[in-house]
């Protein structure tokens, strides 16, 4: 279960504090969490990023064990499931990530972010080299992608052409 941290925000009117909102911060992905991970030259299901997809045959691993890209494996796939109940539904979904290459992020099967990727791609497509995301970068996604119950954050990571045989570099 997520750790909840209530935070009160105040403004001062006539030198008196006035509470203006209450915010709950939810840690949906604890540090050092394990992700379901697919690294293969076999074709991946088109439904891999959806909630109902069965990922039991995928590896369960953390960022210390993600191996390397190869000439035949130019993309890897990650899935992380988390539960939300009605009172957990939030105004926005914020996260930070860093990676080398290109990334496409899905929430419950809907693409919500694409960075360093061409306008169309497949599992063999190299990332483009537009920007450096090797440092932590913060993003916010609309709450409309979240649902009460199980949610799936799915990440598709593509290597740069210069990354063949290099370790996979990604963290969320």
């Amino acid at each position: 279960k997520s750790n909840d941290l209530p935070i009160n925000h105040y403004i001062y009117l006539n030198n008196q504090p006035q509470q203006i909102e209450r915010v709950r911060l939810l840690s949906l992905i604890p540090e050092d969490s394990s992700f379901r991970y697919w690294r293969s030259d076999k074709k991946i299901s088109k439904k891999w990023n959806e909630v109902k997809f069965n990922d039991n045959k995928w590896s369960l691993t953390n960022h210390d064990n993600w191996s390397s890209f190869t000439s035949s494996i130019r993309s890897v796939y990650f899935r992380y499931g988390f539960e939300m109940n009605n009172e957990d539904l939030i105004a926005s979904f914020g996260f930070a990530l860093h990676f080398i290459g290109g990334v496409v992020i899905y929430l419950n099967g809907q693409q919500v972010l694409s960075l360093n990727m061409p306008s169309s791609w497949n599992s063999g497509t190299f990332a483009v080299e537009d920007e450096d995301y090797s440092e932590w970068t913060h993003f916010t996604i609309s709450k409309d992608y979240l649902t009460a119950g199980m949610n799936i954050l799915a990440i598709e990571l593509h290597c740069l052409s210069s990354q063949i045989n290099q370790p996979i570099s990604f963290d969320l």
Side-chain angles (χ1 to χ4, degrees), residues 22-164:
R22 186 165 179 91
V23 176
R24 284 178 61 191
L25 299 178
L26 300 175
S27 177
L28 299 174
I29 305 174
E31 190 173 337
D32 294 326
S33 291
S34 292
F35 286 71
R36 289 292 181 175
Y37 168 68
W38 179 261
R39 180 186 169 275
S40 175
D41 57 0
K42 295 179 181 173
K43 189 172 182 174
I44 191 166
S45 168
K46 291 183 180 185
K47 297 183 180 203
W48 74 273
N49 55 15
E50 296 178 5
V51 174
K52 293 182 180 180
F53 177 77
N54 183 349
D55 60 12
N56 288 338
K57 293 183 179 178
W58 289 33
S59 300
L60 183 62
T61 187
N62 63 28
H63 69 277
D64 293 329
N65 299 307
W66 287 343
S67 193
S68 298
F69 289 111
T70 68
S71 59
S72 63
I73 299 174
R74 296 179 182 176
S75 56
V76 293
Y77 302 85
F78 306 91
R79 287 173 51 90
Y80 185 82
F82 58 94
E83 295 266 347
M84 294 189 75
N85 56 40
N86 284 333
E87 57 268 9
D88 286 340
L89 292 179
I90 51 180
S92 63
F93 179 64
F95 62 94
L97 70 111
H98 68 88
F99 61 94
I100 296 174
V103 68
V104 184
I105 296 181
Y106 305 86
L107 196 50
N108 298 325
Q110 300 292 315
Q111 181 182 325
V112 296
L113 184 66
S114 175
L115 300 165
N116 284 355
M117 292 298 295
S119 58
S120 66
W121 66 90
N122 61 43
S123 63
T125 303
F126 286 116
V128 296
E129 299 184 44
D130 286 342
E131 296 184 46
D132 179 7
Y133 289 98
S134 60
E135 299 296 324
W136 287 102
T137 306
H138 297 267
F139 301 93
T140 302
I141 297 171
S142 169
K143 68 175 181 149
D144 297 339
Y145 295 101
L146 297 169
T147 62
M150 178 56 71
N151 288 266
I152 294 291
L153 179 65
I155 299 107
E156 178 177 348
L157 183 66
H158 291 254
C159 70
L160 296 165
S161 60
S162 61
Q163 257 184 302
I164 297 297

